[in-house]
Every structure is written in structure tokens, then in C-alpha cells.
CSV table of all heavy atoms in Angstrom, one decimal:
chain,number,residue,atom,x,y,z
I,1,MET,N,17.2,4.2,-12.9
I,1,MET,CA,16.2,5.0,-13.5
I,1,MET,C,15.2,5.5,-12.4
I,1,MET,O,14.7,4.7,-11.6
I,1,MET,CB,15.4,4.1,-14.5
I,1,MET,CG,14.3,4.8,-15.2
I,1,MET,SD,13.5,3.7,-16.4
I,1,MET,CE,12.0,3.3,-15.6
I,2,SER,N,15.0,6.7,-12.4
I,2,SER,CA,14.0,7.2,-11.4
I,2,SER,C,12.7,7.6,-12.2
I,2,SER,O,12.7,8.0,-13.3
I,2,SER,CB,14.5,8.4,-10.6
I,2,SER,OG,14.6,9.5,-11.5
I,3,LEU,N,11.5,7.4,-11.4
I,3,LEU,CA,10.3,7.8,-11.9
I,3,LEU,C,10.0,9.2,-11.7
I,3,LEU,O,10.4,9.8,-10.7
I,3,LEU,CB,9.2,6.9,-11.3
I,3,LEU,CG,9.3,5.4,-11.5
I,3,LEU,CD1,8.3,4.6,-10.7
I,3,LEU,CD2,9.2,5.0,-13.0
I,4,THR,N,9.1,9.8,-12.5
I,4,THR,CA,8.7,11.2,-12.4
I,4,THR,C,7.2,11.2,-12.0
I,4,THR,O,6.4,10.5,-12.6
I,4,THR,CB,8.9,12.0,-13.7
I,4,THR,OG1,10.3,11.9,-14.0
I,4,THR,CG2,8.5,13.4,-13.5
I,5,CYS,N,6.8,12.0,-11.1
I,5,CYS,CA,5.5,12.1,-10.6
I,5,CYS,C,4.6,12.7,-11.7
I,5,CYS,O,4.9,13.7,-12.4
I,5,CYS,CB,5.3,13.0,-9.4
I,5,CYS,SG,3.7,13.4,-8.8
I,6,PRO,N,3.4,12.0,-12.1
I,6,PRO,CA,2.6,12.5,-13.1
I,6,PRO,C,1.8,13.7,-12.7
I,6,PRO,O,1.3,14.4,-13.6
I,6,PRO,CB,1.6,11.3,-13.4
I,6,PRO,CG,1.7,10.5,-12.2
I,6,PRO,CD,3.0,10.7,-11.5
I,7,LYS,N,1.8,14.0,-11.4
I,7,LYS,CA,1.1,15.3,-11.0
I,7,LYS,C,1.9,16.5,-11.0
I,7,LYS,O,1.6,17.5,-11.5
I,7,LYS,CB,0.5,15.0,-9.5
I,7,LYS,CG,-0.3,16.1,-9.0
I,7,LYS,CD,-0.8,15.8,-7.6
I,7,LYS,CE,-1.5,17.0,-7.1
I,7,LYS,NZ,-2.0,16.7,-5.7
I,8,CYS,N,3.1,16.4,-10.2
I,8,CYS,CA,3.9,17.6,-10.0
I,8,CYS,C,5.3,17.5,-10.7
I,8,CYS,O,6.1,18.4,-10.6
I,8,CYS,CB,4.1,17.9,-8.6
I,8,CYS,SG,5.2,16.8,-7.7
I,9,HIS,N,5.6,16.3,-11.3
I,9,HIS,CA,6.9,16.1,-12.0
I,9,HIS,C,8.1,15.9,-11.0
I,9,HIS,O,9.2,16.1,-11.4
I,9,HIS,CB,7.2,17.1,-13.1
I,9,HIS,CG,6.0,17.2,-14.0
I,9,HIS,ND1,5.7,16.2,-14.9
I,9,HIS,CD2,5.1,18.1,-14.2
I,9,HIS,CE1,4.6,16.5,-15.6
I,9,HIS,NE2,4.2,17.7,-15.2
I,10,GLY,N,7.8,15.8,-9.7
I,10,GLY,CA,8.8,15.5,-8.7
I,10,GLY,C,9.4,14.1,-8.8
I,10,GLY,O,8.9,13.3,-9.6
I,11,GLU,N,10.4,13.8,-8.1
I,11,GLU,CA,11.1,12.5,-8.1
I,11,GLU,C,10.3,11.6,-7.3
I,11,GLU,O,9.9,11.9,-6.1
I,11,GLU,CB,12.5,12.6,-7.7
I,11,GLU,CG,13.3,11.3,-7.9
I,11,GLU,CD,14.7,11.5,-7.6
I,11,GLU,OE1,15.3,12.5,-7.7
I,11,GLU,OE2,15.3,10.4,-7.1
I,12,MET,N,10.0,10.4,-7.8
I,12,MET,CA,9.3,9.4,-7.1
I,12,MET,C,10.3,8.4,-6.4
I,12,MET,O,11.4,8.2,-6.9
I,12,MET,CB,8.4,8.5,-8.1
I,12,MET,CG,7.5,9.3,-8.9
I,12,MET,SD,6.0,9.7,-8.0
I,12,MET,CE,5.2,8.2,-8.0
I,13,ARG,N,9.8,7.8,-5.3
I,13,ARG,CA,10.6,6.7,-4.6
I,13,ARG,C,9.7,5.5,-4.5
I,13,ARG,O,8.5,5.7,-4.5
I,13,ARG,CB,11.1,7.2,-3.3
I,13,ARG,CG,10.0,7.4,-2.3
I,13,ARG,CD,10.7,8.0,-1.0
I,13,ARG,NE,9.7,8.1,0.0
I,13,ARG,CZ,9.5,7.2,1.0
I,13,ARG,NH1,10.3,6.2,1.1
I,13,ARG,NH2,8.6,7.4,1.9
I,14,GLN,N,10.3,4.4,-4.4
I,14,GLN,CA,9.5,3.2,-4.3
I,14,GLN,C,9.8,2.5,-3.0
I,14,GLN,O,11.0,2.6,-2.5
I,14,GLN,CB,9.9,2.1,-5.4
I,14,GLN,CG,9.5,2.6,-6.8
I,14,GLN,CD,9.8,1.6,-7.9
I,14,GLN,OE1,10.8,0.8,-7.7
I,14,GLN,NE2,8.9,1.5,-8.8
I,15,TYR,N,8.8,1.9,-2.3
I,15,TYR,CA,9.0,1.2,-1.1
I,15,TYR,C,8.0,0.0,-1.1
I,15,TYR,O,6.9,0.1,-1.9
I,15,TYR,CB,9.0,2.0,0.1
I,15,TYR,CG,7.7,2.7,0.4
I,15,TYR,CD1,6.7,2.2,1.2
I,15,TYR,CD2,7.5,4.0,-0.2
I,15,TYR,CE1,5.5,2.9,1.4
I,15,TYR,CE2,6.3,4.7,0.0
I,15,TYR,CZ,5.3,4.1,0.9
I,15,TYR,OH,4.1,4.8,1.1
I,16,GLU,N,8.2,-1.0,-0.4
I,16,GLU,CA,7.4,-2.2,-0.3
I,16,GLU,C,6.5,-2.2,1.0
I,16,GLU,O,7.0,-2.0,2.0
I,16,GLU,CB,8.2,-3.4,-0.5
I,16,GLU,CG,7.4,-4.7,-0.6
I,16,GLU,CD,8.2,-5.9,-0.7
I,16,GLU,OE1,9.3,-5.8,-1.2
I,16,GLU,OE2,7.7,-7.0,-0.2
I,17,ARG,N,5.3,-2.6,0.8
I,17,ARG,CA,4.3,-2.7,1.9
I,17,ARG,C,3.5,-4.0,1.7
I,17,ARG,O,2.9,-4.0,0.6
I,17,ARG,CB,3.4,-1.5,2.1
I,17,ARG,CG,3.9,-0.3,2.7
I,17,ARG,CD,4.1,-0.5,4.2
I,17,ARG,NE,4.3,0.8,4.9
I,17,ARG,CZ,5.5,1.3,5.2
I,17,ARG,NH1,6.6,0.6,5.0
I,17,ARG,NH2,5.6,2.4,5.8
I,18,SER,N,3.6,-4.9,2.5
I,18,SER,CA,2.8,-6.2,2.4
I,18,SER,C,3.0,-6.8,1.0
I,18,SER,O,2.0,-7.3,0.4
I,18,SER,CB,1.4,-5.9,2.7
I,18,SER,OG,1.2,-5.3,3.9
I,19,GLY,N,4.2,-6.8,0.5
I,19,GLY,CA,4.5,-7.4,-0.8
I,19,GLY,C,4.1,-6.6,-2.0
I,19,GLY,O,4.2,-7.1,-3.1
I,20,VAL,N,3.7,-5.4,-1.8
I,20,VAL,CA,3.3,-4.5,-2.9
I,20,VAL,C,4.2,-3.3,-2.9
I,20,VAL,O,4.5,-2.7,-2.0
I,20,VAL,CB,1.8,-4.0,-2.6
I,20,VAL,CG1,1.4,-3.0,-3.7
I,20,VAL,CG2,0.9,-5.0,-2.5
I,21,VAL,N,4.7,-3.1,-4.2
I,21,VAL,CA,5.7,-2.0,-4.4
I,21,VAL,C,4.8,-0.7,-4.6
I,21,VAL,O,4.0,-0.7,-5.5
I,21,VAL,CB,6.6,-2.2,-5.6
I,21,VAL,CG1,7.5,-1.0,-5.8
I,21,VAL,CG2,7.4,-3.5,-5.3
I,22,ILE,N,5.0,0.3,-3.8
I,22,ILE,CA,4.3,1.5,-3.8
I,22,ILE,C,5.2,2.6,-4.3
I,22,ILE,O,6.3,2.8,-3.9
I,22,ILE,CB,3.7,1.9,-2.4
I,22,ILE,CG1,2.8,0.8,-2.0
I,22,ILE,CG2,3.0,3.3,-2.4
I,22,ILE,CD1,2.3,1.0,-0.6
I,23,ASP,N,4.7,3.5,-5.3
I,23,ASP,CA,5.4,4.6,-5.8
I,23,ASP,C,4.9,5.9,-5.1
I,23,ASP,O,3.7,6.1,-5.1
I,23,ASP,CB,5.3,4.8,-7.3
I,23,ASP,CG,5.7,3.5,-8.0
I,23,ASP,OD1,6.8,3.0,-7.7
I,23,ASP,OD2,4.9,3.0,-8.8
I,24,GLN,N,5.8,6.6,-4.4
I,24,GLN,CA,5.4,7.9,-3.8
I,24,GLN,C,6.3,9.0,-4.2
I,24,GLN,O,7.5,8.9,-4.3
I,24,GLN,CB,5.5,7.7,-2.2
I,24,GLN,CG,4.9,8.9,-1.5
I,24,GLN,CD,4.9,8.7,0.0
I,24,GLN,OE1,5.6,8.0,0.6
I,24,GLN,NE2,3.9,9.5,0.6
I,25,CYS,N,5.6,10.2,-4.4
I,25,CYS,CA,6.4,11.4,-4.8
I,25,CYS,C,7.0,12.0,-3.6
I,25,CYS,O,6.3,12.2,-2.6
I,25,CYS,CB,5.4,12.3,-5.5
I,25,CYS,SG,6.2,13.9,-6.0
I,26,GLY,N,8.2,12.3,-3.7
I,26,GLY,CA,8.9,13.1,-2.6
I,26,GLY,C,8.6,14.5,-2.5
I,26,GLY,O,8.8,15.1,-1.5
I,27,GLU,N,7.9,15.1,-3.5
I,27,GLU,CA,7.5,16.5,-3.5
I,27,GLU,C,6.0,16.6,-2.9
I,27,GLU,O,5.8,17.2,-1.9
I,27,GLU,CB,7.6,17.1,-4.9
I,27,GLU,CG,9.0,17.1,-5.4
I,27,GLU,CD,10.0,17.9,-4.7
I,27,GLU,OE1,9.6,19.1,-4.3
I,27,GLU,OE2,11.1,17.5,-4.5
I,28,CYS,N,5.1,16.1,-3.7
I,28,CYS,CA,3.7,16.3,-3.3
I,28,CYS,C,3.1,15.2,-2.4
I,28,CYS,O,2.0,15.3,-1.9
I,28,CYS,CB,2.8,16.4,-4.6
I,28,CYS,SG,2.5,14.9,-5.5
I,29,ARG,N,4.0,14.1,-2.2
I,29,ARG,CA,3.6,13.0,-1.4
I,29,ARG,C,2.5,12.1,-1.9
I,29,ARG,O,1.9,11.3,-1.2
I,29,ARG,CB,3.3,13.4,0.1
I,29,ARG,CG,4.3,14.4,0.7
I,29,ARG,CD,5.6,13.7,1.0
I,29,ARG,NE,5.4,12.8,2.2
I,29,ARG,CZ,6.3,11.8,2.5
I,29,ARG,NH1,7.4,11.7,1.8
I,29,ARG,NH2,6.0,11.0,3.5
I,30,GLY,N,2.2,12.3,-3.2
I,30,GLY,CA,1.1,11.5,-3.8
I,30,GLY,C,1.6,10.0,-3.9
I,30,GLY,O,2.8,9.7,-4.0
I,31,ILE,N,0.6,9.2,-3.8
I,31,ILE,CA,0.9,7.7,-3.9
I,31,ILE,C,0.3,7.2,-5.1
I,31,ILE,O,-0.9,7.4,-5.4
I,31,ILE,CB,0.4,7.0,-2.6
I,31,ILE,CG1,1.2,7.4,-1.4
I,31,ILE,CG2,0.5,5.5,-2.8
I,31,ILE,CD1,0.8,6.8,-0.1
I,32,PHE,N,1.0,6.4,-5.9
I,32,PHE,CA,0.5,5.8,-7.1
I,32,PHE,C,0.8,4.3,-7.1
I,32,PHE,O,1.8,3.8,-6.7
I,32,PHE,CB,1.3,6.4,-8.3
I,32,PHE,CG,1.1,7.9,-8.4
I,32,PHE,CD1,2.0,8.8,-7.7
I,32,PHE,CD2,0.1,8.5,-9.0
I,32,PHE,CE1,1.8,10.1,-7.7
I,32,PHE,CE2,-0.1,9.9,-9.1
I,32,PHE,CZ,0.7,10.7,-8.4
I,33,LEU,N,-0.3,3.6,-7.5
I,33,LEU,CA,-0.3,2.1,-7.5
I,33,LEU,C,-0.5,1.6,-8.9
I,33,LEU,O,-1.2,2.2,-9.7
I,33,LEU,CB,-1.4,1.6,-6.6
I,33,LEU,CG,-1.4,2.0,-5.1
I,33,LEU,CD1,-2.7,1.6,-4.4
I,33,LEU,CD2,-0.2,1.5,-4.4
I,34,ASP,N,0.0,0.5,-9.2
I,34,ASP,CA,-0.2,-0.2,-10.5
I,34,ASP,C,-1.4,-1.0,-10.4
I,34,ASP,O,-2.0,-1.2,-9.3
I,34,ASP,CB,1.0,-1.0,-10.8
I,34,ASP,CG,2.3,-0.2,-11.1
I,34,ASP,OD1,2.1,0.9,-11.6
I,34,ASP,OD2,3.4,-0.8,-10.9
I,35,ARG,N,-1.9,-1.5,-11.5
I,35,ARG,CA,-3.1,-2.3,-11.6
I,35,ARG,C,-3.0,-3.5,-10.6
I,35,ARG,O,-2.0,-4.2,-10.5
I,35,ARG,CB,-3.3,-2.9,-13.0
I,35,ARG,CG,-4.6,-3.7,-13.1
I,35,ARG,CD,-4.7,-4.3,-14.5
I,35,ARG,NE,-4.7,-3.3,-15.5
I,35,ARG,CZ,-5.9,-2.8,-16.1
I,35,ARG,NH1,-7.0,-3.2,-15.6
I,35,ARG,NH2,-5.8,-1.8,-17.0
I,36,GLY,N,-4.1,-3.7,-9.8
I,36,GLY,CA,-4.2,-4.8,-8.9
I,36,GLY,C,-3.5,-4.6,-7.5
I,36,GLY,O,-3.7,-5.4,-6.6
I,37,GLU,N,-2.7,-3.5,-7.4
I,37,GLU,CA,-2.0,-3.4,-6.1
I,37,GLU,C,-2.9,-2.9,-5.0
I,37,GLU,O,-2.7,-3.3,-3.8
I,37,GLU,CB,-0.8,-2.4,-6.3
I,37,GLU,CG,0.3,-2.9,-7.1
I,37,GLU,CD,1.5,-2.0,-7.4
I,37,GLU,OE1,1.3,-0.8,-7.3
I,37,GLU,OE2,2.6,-2.5,-7.6
I,38,LEU,N,-3.9,-2.1,-5.3
I,38,LEU,CA,-4.8,-1.7,-4.2
I,38,LEU,C,-5.5,-2.9,-3.7
I,38,LEU,O,-5.7,-3.0,-2.4
I,38,LEU,CB,-5.8,-0.7,-4.8
I,38,LEU,CG,-6.8,-0.1,-3.8
I,38,LEU,CD1,-6.0,0.6,-2.6
I,38,LEU,CD2,-7.7,0.9,-4.5
I,39,GLU,N,-6.0,-3.8,-4.5
I,39,GLU,CA,-6.7,-5.0,-4.1
I,39,GLU,C,-5.7,-5.9,-3.2
I,39,GLU,O,-6.2,-6.4,-2.2
I,39,GLU,CB,-7.1,-5.8,-5.3
I,39,GLU,CG,-8.3,-5.1,-6.0
I,39,GLU,CD,-7.9,-4.0,-7.0
I,39,GLU,OE1,-6.7,-3.8,-7.2
I,39,GLU,OE2,-8.8,-3.4,-7.5
I,40,LYS,N,-4.4,-5.9,-3.6
I,40,LYS,CA,-3.5,-6.7,-2.8
I,40,LYS,C,-3.4,-6.1,-1.4
I,40,LYS,O,-3.3,-6.8,-0.4
I,40,LYS,CB,-2.1,-6.8,-3.5
I,40,LYS,CG,-2.1,-7.6,-4.7
I,40,LYS,CD,-0.7,-7.6,-5.3
I,40,LYS,CE,-0.7,-8.4,-6.6
I,40,LYS,NZ,0.6,-8.3,-7.2
I,41,LEU,N,-3.4,-4.7,-1.3
I,41,LEU,CA,-3.3,-4.1,0.0
I,41,LEU,C,-4.5,-4.3,0.8
I,41,LEU,O,-4.4,-4.6,2.0
I,41,LEU,CB,-3.0,-2.6,-0.2
I,41,LEU,CG,-1.6,-2.2,-0.7
I,41,LEU,CD1,-1.6,-0.7,-1.0
I,41,LEU,CD2,-0.6,-2.6,0.3
I,42,PHE,N,-5.7,-4.3,0.2
I,42,PHE,CA,-7.0,-4.6,0.9
I,42,PHE,C,-6.9,-6.1,1.5
I,42,PHE,O,-7.3,-6.3,2.6
I,42,PHE,CB,-8.2,-4.5,0.0
I,42,PHE,CG,-8.6,-3.1,-0.3
I,42,PHE,CD1,-9.2,-2.7,-1.5
I,42,PHE,CD2,-8.4,-2.1,0.6
I,42,PHE,CE1,-9.6,-1.4,-1.8
I,42,PHE,CE2,-8.8,-0.7,0.4
I,42,PHE,CZ,-9.4,-0.4,-0.8
I,43,GLU,N,-6.4,-7.0,0.7
I,43,GLU,CA,-6.3,-8.4,1.1
I,43,GLU,C,-5.4,-8.5,2.3
I,43,GLU,O,-5.7,-9.2,3.2
I,43,GLU,CB,-5.8,-9.2,-0.1
I,43,GLU,CG,-5.8,-10.7,0.2
I,43,GLU,CD,-5.4,-11.5,-1.0
I,43,GLU,OE1,-5.8,-11.2,-2.1
I,43,GLU,OE2,-4.6,-12.5,-0.8
I,44,ALA,N,-4.2,-7.8,2.2
I,44,ALA,CA,-3.3,-7.9,3.3
I,44,ALA,C,-3.9,-7.3,4.5
I,44,ALA,O,-3.7,-7.8,5.6
I,44,ALA,CB,-2.0,-7.2,2.9
I,45,GLU,N,-4.6,-6.2,4.4
I,45,GLU,CA,-5.3,-5.6,5.6
I,45,GLU,C,-6.3,-6.6,6.2
I,45,GLU,O,-6.3,-6.7,7.4
I,45,GLU,CB,-5.9,-4.3,5.2
I,45,GLU,CG,-6.6,-3.6,6.4
I,45,GLU,CD,-7.3,-2.4,6.0
I,45,GLU,OE1,-7.7,-2.3,4.9
I,45,GLU,OE2,-7.5,-1.5,6.9
I,46,ALA,N,-7.1,-7.2,5.3
I,46,ALA,CA,-8.1,-8.1,5.8
I,46,ALA,C,-7.4,-9.4,6.6
I,46,ALA,O,-7.9,-9.7,7.6
I,46,ALA,CB,-9.0,-8.6,4.7
I,47,ASN,N,-6.4,-9.8,6.0
I,47,ASN,CA,-5.7,-10.9,6.7
I,47,ASN,C,-5.1,-10.5,8.0
I,47,ASN,O,-5.2,-11.3,9.0
I,47,ASN,CB,-4.5,-11.4,5.8
I,47,ASN,CG,-5.0,-12.2,4.5
I,47,ASN,OD1,-6.1,-12.7,4.5
I,47,ASN,ND2,-4.2,-12.3,3.5
I,48,TRP,N,-4.6,-9.3,8.1
I,48,TRP,CA,-4.0,-8.8,9.4
I,48,TRP,C,-5.2,-8.7,10.4
I,48,TRP,O,-5.0,-9.1,11.6
I,48,TRP,CB,-3.3,-7.5,9.1
I,48,TRP,CG,-2.6,-7.0,10.4
I,48,TRP,CD1,-1.4,-7.3,10.8
I,48,TRP,CD2,-3.2,-6.1,11.3
I,48,TRP,NE1,-1.1,-6.6,12.0
I,48,TRP,CE2,-2.2,-5.9,12.3
I,48,TRP,CE3,-4.4,-5.4,11.5
I,48,TRP,CZ2,-2.4,-5.1,13.4
I,48,TRP,CZ3,-4.6,-4.6,12.5
I,48,TRP,CH2,-3.6,-4.4,13.5
I,49,ASN,N,-6.3,-8.1,9.9
I,49,ASN,CA,-7.4,-7.9,10.8
I,49,ASN,C,-8.0,-9.2,11.4
I,49,ASN,O,-8.3,-9.3,12.5
I,49,ASN,CB,-8.5,-7.1,10.2
I,49,ASN,CG,-8.2,-5.6,10.1
I,49,ASN,OD1,-7.4,-5.1,10.9
I,49,ASN,ND2,-8.8,-5.0,9.1
I,50,ALA,N,-8.0,-10.2,10.5
I,50,ALA,CA,-8.5,-11.6,10.9
I,50,ALA,C,-7.5,-12.2,12.0
I,50,ALA,O,-8.0,-12.9,12.9
I,50,ALA,CB,-8.5,-12.5,9.7
I,51,GLN,N,-6.3,-11.9,11.9
I,51,GLN,CA,-5.3,-12.4,12.9
I,51,GLN,C,-5.5,-11.7,14.2
I,51,GLN,O,-5.1,-12.2,15.3
I,51,GLN,CB,-3.9,-12.3,12.4
I,51,GLN,CG,-3.6,-13.2,11.2
I,51,GLN,CD,-2.2,-12.9,10.6
I,51,GLN,OE1,-1.5,-12.1,11.1
I,51,GLN,NE2,-1.9,-13.7,9.6
I,52,GLN,N,-5.9,-10.4,14.2
I,52,GLN,CA,-6.0,-9.6,15.4
I,52,GLN,C,-7.3,-9.9,16.2
I,52,GLN,O,-7.4,-9.5,17.3
I,52,GLN,CB,-5.9,-8.1,15.0
I,52,GLN,CG,-4.6,-7.8,14.4
I,52,GLN,CD,-3.4,-8.1,15.1
I,52,GLN,OE1,-3.3,-7.9,16.3
I,52,GLN,NE2,-2.5,-8.8,14.5
I,53,THR,N,-8.3,-10.5,15.5
I,53,THR,CA,-9.6,-10.7,16.1
I,53,THR,C,-9.5,-11.9,17.1
I,53,THR,O,-9.2,-13.0,16.6
I,53,THR,CB,-10.7,-11.0,15.1
I,53,THR,OG1,-10.7,-9.9,14.2
I,53,THR,CG2,-12.1,-11.1,15.7
I,54,PRO,N,-9.8,-11.7,18.4
I,54,PRO,CA,-9.7,-12.8,19.3
I,54,PRO,C,-10.9,-13.8,19.0
I,54,PRO,O,-11.9,-13.4,18.5
I,54,PRO,CB,-9.8,-12.2,20.7
I,54,PRO,CG,-10.5,-10.9,20.4
I,54,PRO,CD,-10.2,-10.5,19.0
I,55,PRO,N,-10.6,-15.1,19.3
I,55,PRO,CA,-11.7,-16.1,19.0
I,55,PRO,C,-12.9,-15.8,20.0
I,55,PRO,O,-12.7,-15.3,21.1
I,55,PRO,CB,-11.0,-17.4,19.3
I,55,PRO,CG,-9.8,-17.1,20.1
I,55,PRO,CD,-9.4,-15.7,19.8
I,56,ALA,N,-14.1,-16.1,19.5
I,56,ALA,CA,-15.3,-15.9,20.3
I,56,ALA,C,-15.2,-16.9,21.5
I,56,ALA,O,-14.8,-18.0,21.4
I,56,ALA,CB,-16.5,-16.2,19.5
I,57,PRO,N,-15.6,-16.4,22.7
I,57,PRO,CA,-15.6,-17.3,23.9
I,57,PRO,C,-16.6,-18.5,23.7
I,57,PRO,O,-17.7,-18.3,23.1
I,57,PRO,CB,-16.0,-16.4,25.1
I,57,PRO,CG,-16.6,-15.2,24.4
I,57,PRO,CD,-16.1,-15.1,23.0
I,58,GLN,N,-16.3,-19.6,24.2
I,58,GLN,CA,-17.2,-20.8,24.1
I,58,GLN,C,-18.0,-20.9,25.4
I,58,GLN,O,-17.5,-20.5,26.5
I,58,GLN,CB,-16.4,-22.1,24.0
I,58,GLN,CG,-15.6,-22.1,22.6
I,58,GLN,CD,-14.9,-23.4,22.5
I,58,GLN,OE1,-14.7,-24.1,23.4
I,58,GLN,NE2,-14.4,-23.7,21.2
I,59,ARG,N,-19.2,-21.3,25.3
I,59,ARG,CA,-20.1,-21.4,26.4
I,59,ARG,C,-20.1,-22.8,27.0
I,59,ARG,O,-19.9,-23.8,26.5
I,59,ARG,CB,-21.5,-21.1,26.0
I,59,ARG,CG,-21.6,-19.6,25.6
I,59,ARG,CD,-23.1,-19.4,25.2
I,59,ARG,NE,-23.1,-18.0,24.7
I,59,ARG,CZ,-24.2,-17.4,24.6
I,59,ARG,NH1,-25.3,-17.8,24.9
I,59,ARG,NH2,-24.2,-16.2,24.1
């Protein structure tokens, strides 16, 4: 079963990023998220940023 874009009615494809399934239209390239998925992406980004921050130097 394929999804249809609510904007342009093109065919949607699904892919996973950071444990979140994202629906993207192959025609207009619009991205559509289900409830709570944006918050999950924000959380994943915050966790990644926390891992990239070097520890503060000790005096």
C-alpha cells in the first residue's frame, strides 16, 4: 500500500531517521510526520549534540 501526498497527490515514500519513520513525497518533496515524531527528532538531535560537546577543561 502506498501513501498519497495530501498536498500534490504524488506518491509518498517512507524512510527511518533516528528511530522515526518519515513520510516524504517523491514529487513535491514535502515531509510529513505523525503525532509525536517531531519531538522524537528533536530529542535525537539533542542527544547527538550532547555527545559531540567536549567536556569542559578542569583547572
Side-chain angles (χ1 to χ4, degrees):
M1 177 178 108
S2 68
L3 300 173
T4 302
C5 176
K7 181 179 176 185
C8 75
H9 306 290
E11 187 174 334
M12 304 280 286
R13 66 183 184 102
Q14 293 184 327
Y15 60 96
E16 185 179 333
R17 285 281 198 263
S18 301
V20 177
V21 176
I22 297 172
D23 302 310
Q24 184 174 29
C25 177
E27 299 295 321
C28 71
R29 307 292 288 165
I31 293 178
F32 300 90
L33 302 171
D34 293 331
R35 180 184 302 265
E37 290 179 336
L38 183 60
E39 290 80 6
K40 288 179 185 177
L41 289 172
F42 284 150
E43 184 179 319
E45 180 185 27
N47 289 338
W48 186 85
N49 285 333
Q51 292 174 1
Q52 301 305 311
T53 304
Q58 295 180 345
R59 295 181 187 196

